[in-house]
Amino acid sequence: MKKLLKWLKGPTAMAALAGAVAAAVVLAVAELIGAFFTARATPVIALGSTFIDFTPPWMKDFAISTFGTNDKAALFVGMGLTIFLLACVLGVVAYRKWALGVAGVVLMGTVIVASVVTRAGVKPLDAIPTVLGTLAGLVVLRLLIVLAWRVRTGPAAEPGPAVPPSETPTAEPGTSRRRFFAAAGITAAAAGIAATGGRLLGAARSNIAQARNALQLPAPVKAAAAIPAGVQSPVAGVTPWITPNGDFYRIDTALSVPEINADDWELRVHGLVEEEVRLTFQDLLDADLIESHVTLTCVSNPVGGNLAGNAKWLGLPIREVLKRARPTDGADMVLSTSIDGFSASTPLEVLQDDRDAMLAIGMNGEPLPLEHGYPVRMVVPGLYGFVSATKWVVDLEVTRFADSKAYWTERGWSERGPIKTMARVEVPKSFAKVPAGRVAIGGTAWAQTRGITKVEVQIDNGDWAEATLSAEASVITWRQWSYAWEATPGPHYIKVRATDGTGEMQTDQRAEPVPDGASGWQSVMVTVE
Protein backbone atom coordinates (compact mmCIF):
# COMPACT_ATOMS: atom_id res chain seq x y z
CA MET A 1 0.00 0.00 0.00
CA LYS A 2 2.84 2.35 0.86
CA LYS A 3 4.45 1.65 -2.52
CA LEU A 4 1.15 2.36 -4.26
CA LEU A 5 0.71 5.65 -2.39
CA LYS A 6 4.29 6.60 -3.21
CA TRP A 7 3.72 5.79 -6.89
CA LEU A 8 0.50 7.83 -6.94
CA LYS A 9 2.45 10.81 -5.65
CA GLY A 10 5.27 10.19 -8.12
CA PRO A 11 5.89 11.96 -11.43
CA THR A 12 4.63 9.09 -13.61
CA ALA A 13 1.19 9.11 -11.95
CA MET A 14 1.15 12.91 -12.08
CA ALA A 15 1.97 12.83 -15.78
CA ALA A 16 -0.82 10.31 -16.40
CA LEU A 17 -3.23 12.55 -14.51
CA ALA A 18 -2.09 15.52 -16.58
CA GLY A 19 -2.93 13.58 -19.75
CA ALA A 20 -6.37 12.61 -18.42
CA VAL A 21 -7.21 16.19 -17.42
CA ALA A 22 -6.01 17.48 -20.79
CA ALA A 23 -8.25 14.96 -22.56
CA ALA A 24 -11.19 16.12 -20.44
CA VAL A 25 -10.47 19.68 -21.54
CA VAL A 26 -10.41 18.61 -25.21
CA LEU A 27 -13.83 16.99 -24.90
CA ALA A 28 -15.32 19.74 -22.72
CA VAL A 29 -14.22 22.62 -24.96
CA ALA A 30 -15.44 20.74 -28.02
CA GLU A 31 -18.77 20.07 -26.28
CA LEU A 32 -19.16 23.73 -25.32
CA ILE A 33 -18.31 25.12 -28.76
CA GLY A 34 -20.16 22.27 -30.43
CA ALA A 35 -23.41 23.64 -29.02
CA PHE A 36 -23.29 26.10 -31.93
CA PHE A 37 -22.72 23.30 -34.47
CA THR A 38 -24.39 20.00 -35.31
CA ALA A 39 -24.44 17.45 -32.47
CA ARG A 40 -22.62 14.99 -34.71
CA ALA A 41 -19.59 17.34 -34.68
CA THR A 42 -18.65 16.57 -31.07
CA PRO A 43 -15.65 14.22 -30.70
CA VAL A 44 -17.34 11.48 -28.68
CA ILE A 45 -20.33 11.25 -31.03
CA ALA A 46 -18.12 11.31 -34.14
CA LEU A 47 -15.71 8.70 -32.80
CA GLY A 48 -18.52 6.47 -31.59
CA SER A 49 -20.39 6.72 -34.89
CA THR A 50 -17.22 5.88 -36.82
CA PHE A 51 -16.63 2.90 -34.54
CA ILE A 52 -20.17 1.66 -35.21
CA ASP A 53 -19.62 2.01 -38.96
CA PHE A 54 -16.62 -0.29 -38.79
CA THR A 55 -18.10 -2.72 -36.28
CA PRO A 56 -18.23 -6.27 -37.71
CA PRO A 57 -21.64 -7.97 -37.58
CA TRP A 58 -20.58 -10.47 -34.91
CA MET A 59 -19.53 -7.66 -32.56
CA LYS A 60 -22.76 -5.73 -33.13
CA ASP A 61 -24.77 -8.89 -32.49
CA PHE A 62 -22.77 -9.56 -29.31
CA ALA A 63 -23.36 -6.02 -28.06
CA ILE A 64 -27.11 -6.18 -28.66
CA SER A 65 -27.50 -9.69 -27.21
CA THR A 66 -25.45 -8.70 -24.15
CA PHE A 67 -26.62 -5.15 -23.50
CA GLY A 68 -29.90 -5.00 -25.47
CA THR A 69 -31.19 -1.45 -25.83
CA ASN A 70 -28.35 -0.32 -23.53
CA ASP A 71 -25.79 -1.06 -26.25
CA LYS A 72 -25.11 2.65 -26.84
CA ALA A 73 -24.56 3.29 -23.13
CA ALA A 74 -22.11 0.39 -23.05
CA LEU A 75 -20.30 1.85 -26.06
CA PHE A 76 -19.96 5.23 -24.35
CA VAL A 77 -18.57 3.59 -21.21
CA GLY A 78 -16.07 1.59 -23.26
CA MET A 79 -15.04 4.67 -25.21
CA GLY A 80 -14.61 6.66 -22.00
CA LEU A 81 -12.29 4.05 -20.53
CA THR A 82 -10.30 3.82 -23.77
CA ILE A 83 -9.91 7.60 -24.04
CA PHE A 84 -8.87 7.77 -20.37
CA LEU A 85 -6.17 5.12 -20.79
CA LEU A 86 -4.83 6.62 -24.02
CA ALA A 87 -4.76 10.06 -22.41
CA CYS A 88 -2.80 8.72 -19.45
CA VAL A 89 -0.25 7.15 -21.79
CA LEU A 90 0.09 10.39 -23.75
CA GLY A 91 0.60 12.29 -20.50
CA VAL A 92 3.48 10.02 -19.52
CA VAL A 93 4.97 10.28 -23.02
CA ALA A 94 4.72 14.09 -22.91
CA TYR A 95 6.41 14.14 -19.50
CA ARG A 96 9.35 12.09 -20.74
CA LYS A 97 9.56 13.55 -24.26
CA TRP A 98 7.44 16.62 -24.84
CA ALA A 99 7.71 16.56 -28.64
CA LEU A 100 6.43 12.97 -28.79
CA GLY A 101 3.54 13.88 -26.53
CA VAL A 102 2.58 16.76 -28.78
CA ALA A 103 2.78 14.50 -31.82
CA GLY A 104 0.49 11.98 -30.10
CA VAL A 105 -2.09 14.62 -29.21
CA VAL A 106 -2.03 16.05 -32.75
CA LEU A 107 -2.45 12.53 -34.16
CA MET A 108 -5.49 11.88 -31.96
CA GLY A 109 -6.93 15.27 -32.91
CA THR A 110 -6.46 14.42 -36.58
CA VAL A 111 -8.28 11.11 -36.14
CA ILE A 112 -11.17 12.85 -34.40
CA VAL A 113 -11.37 15.55 -37.09
CA ALA A 114 -11.42 12.85 -39.78
CA SER A 115 -14.24 11.10 -37.90
CA VAL A 116 -16.19 14.36 -37.72
CA VAL A 117 -15.92 15.50 -41.33
CA THR A 118 -16.74 12.07 -42.76
CA ARG A 119 -20.13 11.90 -41.01
CA ALA A 120 -23.21 12.28 -43.18
CA GLY A 121 -24.62 15.80 -43.13
CA VAL A 122 -21.49 17.28 -41.50
CA LYS A 123 -19.63 20.19 -43.09
CA PRO A 124 -15.86 20.88 -42.89
CA LEU A 125 -16.55 23.85 -40.60
CA ASP A 126 -18.06 21.41 -38.09
CA ALA A 127 -14.49 20.34 -37.29
CA ILE A 128 -13.91 23.68 -35.54
CA PRO A 129 -15.02 22.44 -32.07
CA THR A 130 -12.55 19.54 -32.23
CA VAL A 131 -9.69 21.73 -33.47
CA LEU A 132 -10.21 24.33 -30.75
CA GLY A 133 -10.67 21.62 -28.14
CA THR A 134 -7.39 19.97 -29.18
CA LEU A 135 -5.53 23.29 -28.95
CA ALA A 136 -6.98 23.95 -25.49
CA GLY A 137 -5.97 20.44 -24.43
CA LEU A 138 -2.41 21.00 -25.58
CA VAL A 139 -2.17 24.23 -23.57
CA VAL A 140 -3.46 22.51 -20.43
CA LEU A 141 -1.16 19.52 -20.96
CA ARG A 142 1.84 21.82 -21.26
CA LEU A 143 0.95 23.73 -18.08
CA LEU A 144 0.42 20.57 -16.04
CA ILE A 145 3.54 18.85 -17.39
CA VAL A 146 5.60 21.94 -16.47
CA LEU A 147 4.24 21.73 -12.93
CA ALA A 148 5.10 18.02 -12.87
CA TRP A 149 8.63 18.80 -14.02
CA ARG A 150 9.04 21.28 -11.17
CA VAL A 151 8.31 18.57 -8.62
CA ARG A 152 11.49 16.65 -9.59
CA THR A 153 14.47 17.38 -7.34
CA GLY A 154 17.62 15.56 -6.38
CA PRO A 155 19.13 12.22 -7.42
CA ALA A 156 16.54 10.22 -5.52
CA ALA A 157 13.76 11.35 -7.81
CA GLU A 158 12.03 8.80 -10.04
CA PRO A 159 13.97 8.25 -13.28
CA GLY A 160 12.68 10.48 -16.04
CA PRO A 161 13.58 13.30 -18.37
CA ALA A 162 16.05 15.98 -17.61
CA VAL A 163 14.22 19.04 -16.35
CA PRO A 164 14.61 21.96 -18.75
CA PRO A 165 16.67 24.79 -17.20
CA SER A 166 13.72 27.13 -17.48
CA GLU A 167 11.68 24.71 -15.37
CA THR A 168 14.20 24.19 -12.54
CA PRO A 169 12.32 23.79 -9.25
CA THR A 170 12.08 26.96 -7.24
CA ALA A 171 10.08 25.56 -4.33
CA GLU A 172 10.01 22.54 -2.08
CA PRO A 173 8.72 19.36 -3.81
CA GLY A 174 5.70 19.22 -1.50
CA THR A 175 4.68 22.75 -2.42
CA SER A 176 5.11 22.06 -6.16
CA ARG A 177 3.13 18.85 -5.82
CA ARG A 178 0.29 20.66 -4.11
CA ARG A 179 0.30 23.26 -6.88
CA PHE A 180 0.11 20.50 -9.47
CA PHE A 181 -2.85 18.74 -7.87
CA ALA A 182 -4.61 22.04 -7.23
CA ALA A 183 -4.20 23.05 -10.87
CA ALA A 184 -5.32 19.61 -12.08
CA GLY A 185 -8.36 19.65 -9.82
CA ILE A 186 -9.44 23.16 -10.76
CA THR A 187 -8.97 22.40 -14.46
CA ALA A 188 -10.94 19.15 -14.22
CA ALA A 189 -13.77 20.95 -12.45
CA ALA A 190 -13.76 23.69 -15.09
CA ALA A 191 -13.90 21.02 -17.80
CA GLY A 192 -16.91 19.44 -16.13
CA ILE A 193 -18.67 22.81 -15.93
CA ALA A 194 -17.86 23.54 -19.59
CA ALA A 195 -19.17 20.16 -20.73
CA THR A 196 -22.39 20.56 -18.74
CA GLY A 197 -22.78 24.11 -20.02
CA GLY A 198 -22.33 22.92 -23.57
CA ARG A 199 -25.07 20.35 -23.22
CA LEU A 200 -27.45 22.81 -21.57
CA LEU A 201 -26.70 25.43 -24.20
CA GLY A 202 -27.23 22.94 -26.99
CA ALA A 203 -30.56 21.92 -25.50
CA ALA A 204 -31.60 25.55 -25.10
CA ARG A 205 -30.70 26.36 -28.69
CA SER A 206 -32.71 23.44 -30.00
CA ASN A 207 -36.44 23.92 -30.35
CA ILE A 208 -37.10 20.60 -32.11
CA ALA A 209 -38.63 18.95 -29.05
CA GLN A 210 -40.92 21.95 -28.50
CA ALA A 211 -41.97 21.95 -32.15
CA ARG A 212 -42.68 18.24 -31.99
CA ASN A 213 -44.80 18.65 -28.85
CA ALA A 214 -46.78 21.47 -30.47
CA LEU A 215 -47.49 19.52 -33.67
CA GLN A 216 -51.12 18.64 -34.27
CA LEU A 217 -51.47 15.47 -36.31
CA PRO A 218 -54.17 15.44 -39.00
CA ALA A 219 -56.99 12.93 -38.94
CA PRO A 220 -56.40 9.92 -41.22
CA VAL A 221 -58.66 9.26 -44.19
CA LYS A 222 -58.45 5.60 -43.21
CA ALA A 223 -58.42 5.01 -39.46
CA ALA A 224 -56.89 1.92 -37.93
CA ALA A 225 -59.28 -1.00 -37.58
CA ALA A 226 -60.87 -1.28 -34.17
CA ILE A 227 -58.92 -3.50 -31.81
CA PRO A 228 -60.97 -6.64 -31.11
CA ALA A 229 -61.83 -7.52 -27.55
CA GLY A 230 -59.54 -10.15 -26.09
CA VAL A 231 -56.26 -9.35 -27.88
CA GLN A 232 -54.45 -9.13 -24.54
CA SER A 233 -53.36 -12.41 -22.96
CA PRO A 234 -55.19 -13.01 -19.66
CA VAL A 235 -51.92 -14.03 -18.01
CA ALA A 236 -50.62 -11.31 -15.70
CA GLY A 237 -47.19 -10.07 -16.70
CA VAL A 238 -47.47 -10.62 -20.44
CA THR A 239 -46.33 -7.54 -22.36
CA PRO A 240 -49.10 -5.05 -23.30
CA TRP A 241 -50.58 -5.66 -26.74
CA ILE A 242 -49.88 -2.00 -27.59
CA THR A 243 -46.32 -1.08 -26.71
CA PRO A 244 -46.10 2.40 -25.10
CA ASN A 245 -43.76 4.75 -26.96
CA GLY A 246 -41.42 4.96 -23.99
CA ASP A 247 -41.06 1.16 -23.86
CA PHE A 248 -40.69 0.57 -27.60
CA TYR A 249 -37.30 -0.94 -28.37
CA ARG A 250 -34.72 1.25 -30.06
CA ILE A 251 -31.91 -0.26 -32.13
CA ASP A 252 -30.14 2.00 -34.65
CA THR A 253 -26.71 3.35 -35.54
CA ALA A 254 -27.31 6.92 -34.31
CA LEU A 255 -25.36 7.75 -31.15
CA SER A 256 -26.82 11.24 -31.19
CA VAL A 257 -30.51 11.46 -32.05
CA PRO A 258 -30.79 13.61 -35.19
CA GLU A 259 -32.71 16.82 -34.58
CA ILE A 260 -34.54 17.79 -37.75
CA ASN A 261 -36.66 20.87 -38.20
CA ALA A 262 -39.87 19.56 -39.76
CA ASP A 263 -40.20 22.79 -41.77
CA ASP A 264 -36.84 22.06 -43.39
CA TRP A 265 -37.40 18.33 -43.92
CA GLU A 266 -37.61 17.11 -47.50
CA LEU A 267 -37.77 13.65 -49.03
CA ARG A 268 -36.23 13.08 -52.44
CA VAL A 269 -37.46 10.13 -54.53
CA HIS A 270 -35.22 9.49 -57.51
CA GLY A 271 -33.21 6.88 -59.40
CA LEU A 272 -34.88 4.50 -61.83
CA VAL A 273 -38.06 6.56 -62.05
CA GLU A 274 -39.81 8.47 -64.78
CA GLU A 275 -40.34 11.49 -62.55
CA GLU A 276 -38.30 12.65 -59.57
CA VAL A 277 -40.52 13.49 -56.59
CA ARG A 278 -39.80 15.79 -53.67
CA LEU A 279 -42.02 15.91 -50.60
CA THR A 280 -42.04 18.38 -47.71
CA PHE A 281 -43.44 17.70 -44.28
CA GLN A 282 -46.39 19.94 -45.09
CA ASP A 283 -47.06 17.75 -48.15
CA LEU A 284 -47.40 14.79 -45.79
CA LEU A 285 -49.70 16.69 -43.43
CA ASP A 286 -51.91 17.60 -46.39
CA ALA A 287 -51.94 14.08 -47.88
CA ASP A 288 -54.45 11.26 -47.46
CA LEU A 289 -52.92 9.54 -44.45
CA ILE A 290 -53.75 6.11 -43.07
CA GLU A 291 -53.49 4.48 -39.66
CA SER A 292 -52.45 0.91 -39.04
CA HIS A 293 -51.37 -1.28 -36.15
CA VAL A 294 -48.03 -2.85 -37.10
CA THR A 295 -45.61 -5.01 -35.16
CA LEU A 296 -41.94 -4.24 -35.82
CA THR A 297 -39.09 -6.67 -35.10
CA CYS A 298 -35.32 -6.20 -35.04
CA VAL A 299 -33.21 -8.73 -36.92
CA SER A 300 -30.87 -8.84 -33.89
CA ASN A 301 -33.66 -10.18 -31.68
CA PRO A 302 -32.52 -13.51 -30.21
CA VAL A 303 -34.90 -16.43 -29.73
CA GLY A 304 -37.26 -15.34 -26.98
CA GLY A 305 -35.89 -11.78 -27.06
CA ASN A 306 -37.72 -8.51 -26.48
CA LEU A 307 -36.62 -6.51 -29.54
CA ALA A 308 -40.15 -6.39 -30.93
CA GLY A 309 -42.98 -3.93 -30.41
CA ASN A 310 -46.49 -3.19 -31.59
CA ALA A 311 -47.83 0.32 -32.20
CA LYS A 312 -50.45 2.31 -34.10
CA TRP A 313 -48.73 4.23 -36.90
CA LEU A 314 -50.00 7.20 -38.93
CA GLY A 315 -48.51 7.94 -42.32
CA LEU A 316 -48.65 8.12 -46.09
CA PRO A 317 -48.57 4.83 -48.00
CA ILE A 318 -45.27 4.60 -49.85
CA ARG A 319 -47.03 3.01 -52.80
CA GLU A 320 -48.77 6.36 -53.41
CA VAL A 321 -45.42 8.15 -53.58
CA LEU A 322 -44.04 5.49 -55.95
CA LYS A 323 -47.09 5.87 -58.18
CA ARG A 324 -46.10 9.49 -58.71
CA ALA A 325 -42.47 8.60 -59.37
CA ARG A 326 -43.33 5.65 -61.70
CA PRO A 327 -40.41 3.21 -61.32
CA THR A 328 -38.97 1.99 -64.62
CA ASP A 329 -38.61 -1.60 -65.80
CA GLY A 330 -35.77 -3.48 -64.13
CA ALA A 331 -35.99 -1.68 -60.79
CA ASP A 332 -36.40 -4.11 -57.89
CA MET A 333 -35.23 -2.24 -54.79
CA VAL A 334 -35.63 1.04 -52.93
CA LEU A 335 -32.56 2.26 -51.06
CA SER A 336 -33.79 4.44 -48.20
CA THR A 337 -31.29 6.73 -46.49
CA SER A 338 -31.43 8.49 -43.13
CA ILE A 339 -30.08 11.96 -42.51
CA ASP A 340 -27.29 10.32 -40.46
CA GLY A 341 -26.16 8.16 -43.39
CA PHE A 342 -27.81 4.85 -42.50
CA SER A 343 -29.40 3.06 -45.46
CA ALA A 344 -31.75 0.10 -45.93
CA SER A 345 -32.58 -1.99 -49.00
CA THR A 346 -36.29 -2.76 -49.34
CA PRO A 347 -37.73 -4.92 -52.16
CA LEU A 348 -39.70 -2.64 -54.47
CA GLU A 349 -42.71 -4.95 -54.69
CA VAL A 350 -43.13 -4.86 -50.90
CA LEU A 351 -43.52 -1.08 -51.01
CA GLN A 352 -46.06 -1.31 -53.83
CA ASP A 353 -48.43 -3.99 -52.51
CA ASP A 354 -51.35 -3.57 -50.10
CA ARG A 355 -49.52 -4.19 -46.82
CA ASP A 356 -49.62 -0.46 -45.92
CA ALA A 357 -45.89 0.26 -45.91
CA MET A 358 -45.79 3.94 -45.00
CA LEU A 359 -43.86 7.12 -44.40
CA ALA A 360 -44.94 7.42 -40.78
CA ILE A 361 -45.30 10.72 -38.91
CA GLY A 362 -47.32 9.47 -35.92
CA MET A 363 -46.94 6.72 -33.31
CA ASN A 364 -49.69 5.71 -30.90
CA GLY A 365 -51.65 8.91 -31.45
CA GLU A 366 -48.81 11.41 -31.11
CA PRO A 367 -46.00 12.71 -33.35
CA LEU A 368 -43.07 10.35 -33.68
CA PRO A 369 -40.73 10.56 -30.69
CA LEU A 370 -37.36 12.03 -31.65
CA GLU A 371 -35.57 8.75 -30.97
CA HIS A 372 -38.03 6.86 -33.16
CA GLY A 373 -37.52 8.95 -36.27
CA TYR A 374 -39.17 12.36 -35.92
CA PRO A 375 -40.31 13.87 -38.18
CA VAL A 376 -40.60 10.95 -40.66
CA ARG A 377 -39.61 7.29 -40.68
CA MET A 378 -40.48 4.19 -42.67
CA VAL A 379 -42.72 1.43 -41.35
CA VAL A 380 -42.92 -1.73 -43.46
CA PRO A 381 -44.91 -4.74 -42.19
CA GLY A 382 -43.28 -8.14 -42.58
CA LEU A 383 -39.62 -7.12 -42.88
CA TYR A 384 -36.94 -6.81 -40.24
CA GLY A 385 -36.02 -3.21 -39.50
CA PHE A 386 -32.53 -3.38 -40.98
CA VAL A 387 -34.02 -3.57 -44.48
CA SER A 388 -37.08 -1.40 -44.00
CA ALA A 389 -37.51 0.75 -40.89
CA THR A 390 -35.30 3.72 -41.78
CA LYS A 391 -35.68 6.52 -39.24
CA TRP A 392 -35.17 10.21 -40.02
CA VAL A 393 -35.54 9.23 -43.69
CA VAL A 394 -34.64 11.88 -46.30
CA ASP A 395 -33.94 9.91 -49.49
CA LEU A 396 -35.54 7.09 -51.48
CA GLU A 397 -33.54 5.85 -54.45
CA VAL A 398 -35.30 3.40 -56.75
CA THR A 399 -32.57 1.07 -57.92
CA ARG A 400 -31.57 -2.61 -58.23
CA PHE A 401 -30.15 -5.05 -55.70
CA ALA A 402 -27.42 -5.78 -58.22
CA ASP A 403 -26.37 -2.11 -58.31
CA SER A 404 -26.65 -0.83 -54.74
CA LYS A 405 -25.82 -2.10 -51.26
CA ALA A 406 -27.33 -0.94 -47.98
CA TYR A 407 -25.55 -0.23 -44.69
CA TRP A 408 -25.84 -3.71 -43.18
CA THR A 409 -25.76 -5.57 -46.49
CA GLU A 410 -22.23 -4.27 -46.97
CA ARG A 411 -21.41 -5.78 -43.57
CA GLY A 412 -22.52 -9.32 -44.33
CA TRP A 413 -26.25 -9.27 -43.61
CA SER A 414 -28.83 -10.47 -46.12
CA GLU A 415 -30.34 -8.23 -48.81
CA ARG A 416 -33.93 -9.10 -47.98
CA GLY A 417 -35.20 -9.61 -44.45
CA PRO A 418 -38.59 -11.33 -44.21
CA ILE A 419 -39.54 -11.82 -40.57
CA LYS A 420 -39.45 -15.42 -39.36
CA THR A 421 -42.22 -17.04 -37.35
CA MET A 422 -41.44 -16.72 -33.65
CA ALA A 423 -43.10 -17.48 -30.32
CA ARG A 424 -41.80 -16.54 -26.89
CA VAL A 425 -42.62 -17.37 -23.28
CA GLU A 426 -42.99 -14.23 -21.17
CA VAL A 427 -44.56 -15.72 -18.03
CA PRO A 428 -43.04 -17.36 -16.07
CA LYS A 429 -39.58 -15.91 -16.59
CA SER A 430 -36.61 -18.19 -17.06
CA PHE A 431 -35.25 -19.51 -13.70
CA ALA A 432 -38.42 -18.42 -11.92
CA LYS A 433 -39.71 -20.30 -8.89
CA VAL A 434 -43.44 -21.08 -8.95
CA PRO A 435 -45.77 -22.93 -6.55
CA ALA A 436 -47.06 -26.40 -7.39
CA GLY A 437 -50.52 -26.58 -8.86
CA ARG A 438 -52.05 -24.64 -11.70
CA VAL A 439 -49.50 -22.25 -13.24
CA ALA A 440 -50.43 -19.71 -15.90
CA ILE A 441 -48.06 -19.61 -18.88
CA GLY A 442 -48.32 -16.80 -21.41
CA GLY A 443 -46.51 -15.00 -24.16
CA THR A 444 -46.56 -13.54 -27.64
CA ALA A 445 -46.03 -14.88 -31.15
CA TRP A 446 -45.64 -13.19 -34.52
CA ALA A 447 -45.38 -13.89 -38.23
CA GLN A 448 -46.10 -10.52 -39.81
CA THR A 449 -48.15 -10.61 -43.07
CA ARG A 450 -48.93 -14.34 -42.44
CA GLY A 451 -50.51 -14.26 -39.01
CA ILE A 452 -50.44 -16.84 -36.22
CA THR A 453 -52.94 -19.73 -36.24
CA LYS A 454 -51.51 -22.00 -33.53
CA VAL A 455 -49.18 -21.91 -30.53
CA GLU A 456 -48.10 -25.10 -28.78
CA VAL A 457 -46.44 -25.67 -25.42
CA GLN A 458 -44.27 -28.60 -24.34
CA ILE A 459 -43.36 -29.37 -20.73
CA ASP A 460 -40.04 -31.18 -20.48
CA ASN A 461 -40.12 -33.83 -23.22
CA GLY A 462 -43.84 -34.50 -23.05
CA ASP A 463 -46.46 -34.15 -25.73
CA TRP A 464 -47.08 -30.80 -27.35
CA ALA A 465 -50.30 -29.17 -26.12
CA GLU A 466 -52.17 -26.43 -27.93
CA ALA A 467 -52.30 -23.08 -26.15
CA THR A 468 -55.28 -20.74 -26.15
CA LEU A 469 -54.83 -17.92 -28.64
CA SER A 470 -55.97 -14.42 -27.83
CA ALA A 471 -57.99 -12.54 -30.46
CA GLU A 472 -56.23 -11.60 -33.69
CA ALA A 473 -56.25 -7.94 -34.70
CA SER A 474 -54.59 -8.48 -38.08
CA VAL A 475 -51.89 -10.57 -39.75
CA ILE A 476 -49.39 -7.71 -39.47
CA THR A 477 -49.55 -7.57 -35.68
CA TRP A 478 -48.39 -10.03 -33.06
CA ARG A 479 -50.75 -12.42 -31.33
CA GLN A 480 -50.76 -13.38 -27.67
CA TRP A 481 -51.48 -16.74 -26.07
CA SER A 482 -51.99 -18.50 -22.73
CA TYR A 483 -51.76 -22.00 -21.31
CA ALA A 484 -52.77 -23.54 -17.94
CA TRP A 485 -50.20 -26.00 -16.59
CA GLU A 486 -50.67 -28.40 -13.69
CA ALA A 487 -47.18 -28.07 -12.25
CA THR A 488 -45.53 -30.74 -10.10
CA PRO A 489 -42.55 -30.10 -7.80
CA GLY A 490 -39.08 -30.04 -9.28
CA PRO A 491 -37.22 -28.42 -12.16
CA HIS A 492 -39.04 -28.24 -15.50
CA TYR A 493 -38.44 -26.94 -19.00
CA ILE A 494 -41.12 -25.08 -20.97
CA LYS A 495 -40.83 -24.94 -24.75
CA VAL A 496 -43.04 -23.05 -27.19
CA ARG A 497 -43.54 -23.04 -30.96
CA ALA A 498 -45.94 -21.33 -33.35
CA THR A 499 -47.58 -22.07 -36.69
CA ASP A 500 -48.26 -19.27 -39.16
CA GLY A 501 -51.23 -18.59 -41.40
CA THR A 502 -49.76 -20.57 -44.28
CA GLY A 503 -49.65 -23.72 -42.13
CA GLU A 504 -45.86 -23.62 -41.74
CA MET A 505 -44.57 -24.45 -38.28
CA GLN A 506 -41.80 -22.43 -36.66
CA THR A 507 -38.53 -24.25 -37.31
CA ASP A 508 -36.62 -25.88 -34.49
CA GLN A 509 -33.33 -25.34 -36.32
CA ARG A 510 -31.28 -22.99 -34.21
CA ALA A 511 -29.78 -20.02 -36.07
CA GLU A 512 -28.04 -16.88 -34.87
CA PRO A 513 -29.37 -13.46 -35.92
CA VAL A 514 -26.67 -13.05 -38.61
CA PRO A 515 -27.39 -12.89 -41.50
CA ASP A 516 -31.19 -12.97 -41.68
CA GLY A 517 -32.65 -13.38 -38.20
CA ALA A 518 -32.59 -15.89 -35.35
CA SER A 519 -34.64 -19.08 -35.36
CA GLY A 520 -35.35 -22.02 -33.05
CA TRP A 521 -37.67 -22.87 -30.18
CA GLN A 522 -37.37 -21.01 -26.89
CA SER A 523 -36.86 -23.11 -23.77
CA VAL A 524 -37.50 -21.69 -20.29
CA MET A 525 -36.37 -23.45 -17.10
CA VAL A 526 -38.48 -23.03 -13.97
CA THR A 527 -38.47 -24.58 -10.52
CA VAL A 528 -41.77 -25.74 -9.04
CA GLU A 529 -41.82 -25.69 -5.23
Side-chain angles (χ1 to χ4, degrees), residues 58-81:
W58 65 266
M59 186 177 292
K60 169 186 176 292
D61 189 52
F62 171 79
I64 293 176
S65 62
T66 304
F67 302 108
T69 53
N70 295 314
D71 58 335
K72 293 178 177 62
L75 175 61
F76 279 124
V77 171
M79 285 179 56
L81 290 174

Side-chain angles (χ1 to χ4, degrees), residues 480-495:
Q480 298 191 335
W481 57 271
S482 58
Y483 179 77
W485 170 38
E486 293 297 334
T488 57
H492 295 280
Y493 288 89
I494 304 170
K495 286 185 180 179

Side-chain angles (χ1 to χ4, degrees), residues 347-358:
L348 177 61
E349 70 271 13
V350 168
L351 300 177
Q352 293 178 307
D353 63 21
D354 60 357
R355 72 181 65 195
D356 288 344
M358 68 175 77

Side-chain angles (χ1 to χ4, degrees), residues 265 281 284 359-361 368 373-378 391-393:
W265 178 87
F281 191 70
L284 293 184
L359 294 169
I361 64 172
L368 288 174
Y374 177 86
V376 185
R377 66 168 293 166
M378 289 176 61
K391 302 173 185 175
W392 314 289
V393 62

Side-chain angles (χ1 to χ4, degrees), residues 12-26:
T12 299
M14 294 170 64
L17 178 59
V21 172
V25 169
V26 171

